[in-house]
Amino acid sequence: MTKFDVERVRADFPILQQEVNGHPLVYLDNAATTQKPEAVIQAIADYYRHDNSNVHRGAHALSDRATEKFEGARTKVAAFINAPSSAQVLWTRGTTEGINMVAATWGRQNLKAGDRVLVSALEHHSNIVPWQMIAGAVGATVEAIPVDGDGTLNLTEFRQMLDPRVKMVSLQHVSNALGTIHPIDDVIAMAHAVGAKVLIDGAQAISHWAVDVQALDCDFYAFSAHKLFGPTGLGVLYGKRELLDAMPPYQGGGEMIETVSFAGTTFNQLPYKFEAGTPDIAGAVGLGAAIDYLNALDRRGASAHEHALLKYAEDKARAMPGITLVGTSPYKTSVMSFMVDGAHPADVGTILDQQGVAVRTGNHCAQPIMDQYGIPGTVRASFSFYNTFADVDRLFAALTKAQQFLL
Ligand code: PMP
């Protein structure tokens, strides 16, 4: 169906070559976390075997090598997202910490009583709760931009919500719960027109296509390494330089200072001002290897393959009695959320797992949208470029068994 050589790519991912519950693994939980190619696993192991040391200490050869690899990874990330400088690439623990960092530092400095923060009704909890925390502390409000029944952001209502009291619009690029791709170009331009800043939660977009933060003109962009075929425990926050320069530090400690005395402390320059303590050096090395891997991959072919998988799966779902798709926006990435009519999503997930098919079930950390739809959650199959059409066939064969067993 596509020219993308999925069998060759699958060979790069050792975890896929196993049986689970007596069946060859079909991994369809890529929105939760992606699998790691051998090159990433090897880079992390090599780092610990040969270079492990603390960074920025410069006293010996290992420290120099570790620093070079660590900062080299930052440079790779900057090029990958087209950031103007690697000083604007901050290491975090993940998307969640990136958003918390902006809410706690930029928010503390810029939000006041009566100000408004807009997020979408479809956000992940990590893009709701940090804003509620800072809004509660300063007397601002957090309001939800409505989302239509098919999961599409309602731009008309968004336009009506905008006024000069809106100081921040914090929006996901892609929904983890439904797969909707939001019109963030329009959102960013509209928000900027009233003077608001825009944070994009890129957790679900970054693995699917090339993100260019300068072309987007977003003020902040956050993502997690583990959703980009890299290790857990690491993330990236990109920010515009003037904003990062003006923001106070997030945590205090080593690395983030210039001078410390009991008379007062001065802070380090970007990016170190936001990186207190020993960072996740091996994680950064792993992410650098993931980016190298992706740069060598036919990414357009990969995206087209993922899209073809989604279409194939959605067509099958529509043709199958007793399956209801949730989130049918025309603008979607390779996430298929659905209900098996009459069955609880968790029970469906268990029966799929027994057949070696890994999906996620539940509210996907997006409880408000599930409440809007009046459902406890969904079954979510999320595809990556290493999935095959045969994987989709296995999913539907397993669903047929689930229906026979549960209904
Ligand atoms: N936002 C979205 C859209 C996500 O899908 C996720 C992860 N499910 C997060 C934020 C949080 O990412 P992390 O747990 O890696 O911090």
Side-chain angles (χ1 to χ4, degrees):
M1 282 195 192
T2 62
K3 288 194 210 78
F4 184 71
D5 189 350
V6 62
E7 288 308 329
R8 196 191 59 70
V9 166
R10 281 178 74 77
D12 297 333
F13 290 81
I15 205 168
L16 299 176
Q17 335 292 329
Q18 66 174 295
E19 295 206 338
V20 168
N21 294 327
H23 303 272
L25 170 64
V26 172
Y27 184 77
L28 301 179
D29 197 14
N30 294 287
T33 199
T34 51
Q35 298 302 349
K36 322 306 171 197
E38 180 64 30
V40 168
I41 299 166
Q42 201 60 50
I44 295 169
D46 280 352
Y47 168 76
Y48 279 124
R49 274 206 187 96
H50 303 295
D51 307 316
N52 178 48
S53 192
N54 214 325
V55 288
H56 305 140
R57 306 289 195 263
H60 54 82
L62 262 57
S63 175
D64 286 345
R65 289 211 303 260
T67 304
E68 210 171 288
K69 283 196 164 183
F70 178 68
E71 291 301 334
R74 198 194 302 270
T75 308
K76 285 178 194 178
V77 172
F80 189 70
I81 59 172
N82 194 30
S85 125
S86 58
Q88 290 161 257
V89 170
L90 314 183
W91 297 123
T92 62
R93 285 193 301 118
T95 311
T96 303
E97 189 176 55
I99 300 170
N100 273 280
M101 191 188 286
V102 177
T105 62
W106 180 91
R108 167 79 53 189
Q109 202 170 46
N110 291 282
L111 293 175
K112 57 180 188 319
D115 284 346
R116 303 167 65 206
V117 175
L118 305 188
V119 302
S120 84
L122 191 43
E123 290 312 306
H124 190 281
H125 298 159
S126 65
N127 198 22
I128 300 174
V129 183
W131 297 113
Q132 288 176 329
M133 287 163 64
I134 187 65
V138 303
T141 58
V142 179
E143 296 162 51
I145 308 163
V147 166
D148 295 339
D150 68 353
T152 306
L153 192 78
N154 191 316
L155 270 188
T156 311
E157 296 213 39
F158 174 58
R159 189 184 302 280
Q160 285 162 5
M161 291 172 86
L162 286 170
D163 70 25
R165 288 179 304 139
V166 176
K167 294 289 160 42
M168 169 60 74
V169 176
S170 194
L171 182 73
Q172 54 189 202
H173 199 162
V174 167
S175 156
N176 63 307
L178 307 181
T180 314
I181 303 169
H182 296 299
I184 63 166
D185 291 291
D186 292 335
V187 167
I188 292 166
M190 288 158 73
H192 283 169
V194 295
K197 303 297 179 213
V198 182
L199 183 152
I200 301 295
D201 165 357
Q204 292 296 334
I206 196 74
S207 70
H208 294 297
W209 60 78
V211 167
D212 180 335
V213 290
Q214 291 189 77
L216 286 173
D217 195 31
C218 54
D219 298 289
F220 301 99
Y221 197 97
F223 64 91
S224 305
H226 72 95
K227 306 217 193 231
L228 189 64
F229 314 99
T232 52
L234 182 78
V236 168
L237 175 69
Y238 156 82
K240 282 188 179 163
R241 184 160 211 137
E242 63 276 18
L243 295 173
L244 295 178
D245 273 333
M247 277 153 54
Y250 181 47
Q251 294 182 330
E255 292 275 320
M256 53 76 70
I257 51 84
E258 186 183 47
T259 61
V260 178
S261 80
F262 286 103
T265 289
T266 57
F267 302 123
N268 207 339
Q269 60 194 14
L270 290 176
Y272 312 110
K273 181 172 90 172
F274 293 101
E275 295 178 0
T278 299
D280 183 358
I281 306 164
V285 171
L287 177 60
I291 288 175
D292 288 343
Y293 180 84
L294 288 169
N295 285 340
L297 190 79
D298 168 14
R299 285 201 87 194
R300 278 175 191 272
S303 277
H305 175 65
E306 289 171 352
H307 199 68
L309 290 172
L310 176 71
K311 288 290 142 223
Y312 183 64
E314 286 187 340
D315 286 348
K316 276 186 166 277
R318 286 197 180 93
M320 183 166 172
I323 302 286
T324 305
L325 290 173
V326 182
T328 50
S329 164
Y331 315 106
K332 275 190 63 176
T333 185
S334 49
V335 171
M336 185 174 78
S337 243
F338 60 96
M339 310 283 293
V340 175
D341 302 343
H344 195 281
D347 295 336
V348 176
T350 304
I351 293 178
L352 297 189
D353 181 50
Q354 284 164 2
Q355 298 170 78
V357 178
V359 294
R360 169 119 183 228
T361 63
N363 65 30
H364 315 296
C365 299
Q367 214 178 315
I369 196 70
M370 299 298 150
D371 291 346
Q372 177 179 327
Y373 292 160
I375 52 178
T378 69
V379 183
R380 182 187 71 186
S382 49
F383 308 103
S384 187
F385 54 72
Y386 42 65
N387 289 121
T388 63
F389 293 96
D391 286 345
V392 179
D393 292 340
R394 284 272 311 280
L395 167 68
F396 280 91
L399 282 171
T400 302
K401 285 217 175 130
Q403 284 178 322
Q404 286 161 359
F405 189 79
L406 292 171
L407 304 178

